[in-house]
Amino acid sequence: MIYLDYQATTPLAPEAFDAMLPLLRDQFANPHSAHRLGRAAAAHVEVARDEIGRLLPQGGRLVFTSGATEALNIAIQGAPPGGIVTIATEHAAVLDTVEAMRRKGRAVTILPVGPDGLVDAEEAARAIVPGVAIVVAMLVNNEIGVIQPLDALSELAHSVGALFLCDAVQGYGRIPVPQACDLVAISAHKVHGPKGIGALWMRDGVQLEPLIHGGGQEQGLRSGTLSPALCAGFGVAARLMRERAEEDRAHIEQLAALSRNLFADWTLNGSADHRYPGNLNVRREGIDGARLLSYCRNIAFSLGSACASGSGRPSHVLRALGLTDAQARGSVRIGFGRYTHREELERAAEALNEAATAQAEPWG
């Protein structure tokens, strides 16, 4: 099996697994207990919190969550009263949450994007006005890899007194998170850490209303007993992202250059210049991605967001670019990273190209 779905999730780093195992098996104390074993477990949590924070803007505080979806919900639902501005290509965790807030009476503006997937700067300036409480934007799009101009968006937000929330799930540890963010949502399993844990970073002075009430853990914002094992695994994964940054970047850029040649007969979706190179979203006329996925059973790739893959609907991200339903259904997302080998990418491309050519023929 060849794994090329790094945007959906990444393989767990062996070092992260090794850090988690003793905390699952032996050091099982509740990290919120006052006794010595509890304090020892809590120490692992704080070491992880520090490591994760080293890849985020300076200062602030980090609250552990069950994942980025919860972090985004805390930030959006817990923000001060006022309007919400976001982008049409955001993850469902953002779009569905702001839609829920719209139903509760909040003013919501969804900014369009151009064919390259980038937000229209003039539209953003017209929408981000006094009365807006929070602006939400992805750093790296999970489906097409496009990098939004977050510095410009955060400047617009701050000019009217709004908070700026960055969904950095796909960019954390890979490209710098802008210092101007007020809130940042991240997830461990996108950076070779375990599933089931994420975090929300908040700039000093930012106050949010909690969604979960109980024991008052995580500075009163997110009650619930933490898993020291998950925290430790996240911390080690973050440390490796920092320590291996240059090595990982060079490897992924080499694979990206190779992929452009291997998929030369396909059309790239989204900007060719403002993008993360480990995400390749391409389309080809006359094919159906779902049939291609069924045919190439030994290759793990995707048709878009794993969170919405079962809906049967064309990708809202690709439709926002102006693609037709047929073009969106003829698109595939190929993601690669640290543990992808060149030979795997070559074998996968051969199989995908062969299947796509056969499918595009009149008798295919």
Side-chain angles (χ1 to χ4, degrees):
M1 193 77 185
I2 299 173
Y3 187 76
L4 294 175
D5 201 15
Y6 268 61
Q7 279 69 51
T9 196
T10 55
L12 181 66
E15 298 90 338
F17 176 82
D18 291 342
M20 293 169 62
L21 189 58
L23 293 167
L24 289 167
R25 183 186 57 205
D26 305 317
Q27 302 169 30
F28 52 81
N30 188 320
H32 311 294
S33 295
H35 51 64
R36 182 167 59 88
L37 293 179
R39 293 197 303 273
H44 287 283
V45 172
E46 296 312 314
V47 168
R49 200 188 306 271
D50 181 65
E51 285 289 358
I52 296 161
R54 296 179 71 173
L55 290 169
L56 292 166
Q58 295 179 347
R61 55 189 176 125
L62 187 84
V63 170
F64 284 113
T65 65
S66 63
T69 294
E70 183 187 351
L72 290 165
N73 269 265
I74 292 172
I76 295 170
Q77 296 194 53
I84 303 170
V85 176
T86 189
I87 303 173
T89 51
E90 294 299 300
H91 191 277
V94 168
L95 295 178
D96 287 358
T97 303
V98 301
E99 177 57 30
M101 300 304 288
R102 186 204 298 272
R103 292 195 295 269
K104 292 182 178 181
R106 297 281 287 270
V108 172
T109 301
I110 309 294
L111 297 172
V113 297
D116 57 3
L118 292 169
V119 68
D120 185 295
E122 293 184 358
E123 290 275 0
R126 284 193 289 267
I128 302 172
V129 295
V132 169
I134 187 167
V135 177
V136 190
M138 267 184 182
L139 178 54
V140 176
N141 188 273
N142 61 309
E143 291 198 31
I144 56 175
V146 168
I147 300 172
Q148 293 289 355
L150 296 198
D151 286 332
L153 290 172
S154 62
E155 185 175 344
L156 285 171
H158 293 155
S159 71
V160 298
L163 296 174
F164 184 74
L165 166 60
C166 171
D167 174 354
V169 168
Q170 299 288 340
Y172 173 75
R174 297 182 173 94
I175 63 175
V177 177
Q179 292 291 322
C181 296
D182 300 299
L183 299 149
V184 181
I186 56 176
S187 178
H189 76 100
K190 307 294 189 180
V191 292
H192 307 290
K195 297 173 184 65
I197 186 167
L200 176 66
W201 176 89
M202 294 171 286
R203 182 174 301 286
D204 290 332
V206 172
Q207 297 295 322
L208 302 174
E209 288 295 320
L211 299 186
I212 298 175
H213 303 275
Q217 295 92 338
E218 290 303 273
Q219 307 154 56
L221 186 59
R222 199 273 183 181
S223 292
T225 301
L226 290 175
S227 166
L230 293 179
C231 293
F234 194 177
V236 170
R239 175 173 58 80
L240 291 172
M241 292 297 288
R242 178 171 52 83
E243 292 177 349
R244 294 180 51 119
E246 292 303 321
E247 181 181 352
D248 284 350
R249 184 179 298 112
H251 177 61
I252 291 165
E253 287 178 351
Q254 289 173 358
L255 293 177
L258 174 64
S259 71
R260 287 193 290 271
N261 292 325
L262 294 174
F263 294 94
D265 294 334
W266 299 64
T267 301
L268 181 69
N269 291 324
S271 172
D273 301 317
H274 303 280
R275 66 182 304 107
Y276 168 65
N279 178 314
L280 182 70
N281 193 306
V282 290
R283 70 181 187 271
R284 191 161 166 177
E285 296 298 325
I287 72 162
D288 180 86
R291 289 177 58 196
L292 200 65
L293 191 65
S294 177
Y295 184 83
C296 299
R297 296 179 182 176
N298 291 326
I299 306 169
F301 63 99
S302 74
L303 310 180
S305 169
C307 302
S309 61
S311 69
R313 298 188 302 270
S315 160
H316 74 278
V317 173
L318 298 181
R319 290 305 312 275
L321 304 187
L323 270 62
T324 65
D325 283 359
Q327 289 174 322
R329 290 194 172 99
S331 299
V332 300
R333 182 184 69 180
I334 297 164
F336 39 82
R338 180 185 299 167
Y339 303 113
T340 307
H341 297 291
R342 178 188 180 97
E343 296 77 14
E344 292 179 311
L345 191 55
E346 290 172 335
R347 295 204 314 272
E350 182 179 3
L352 286 166
N353 283 319
E354 180 182 328
T357 298
Q359 191 180 125
E361 295 292 338
W363 58 85

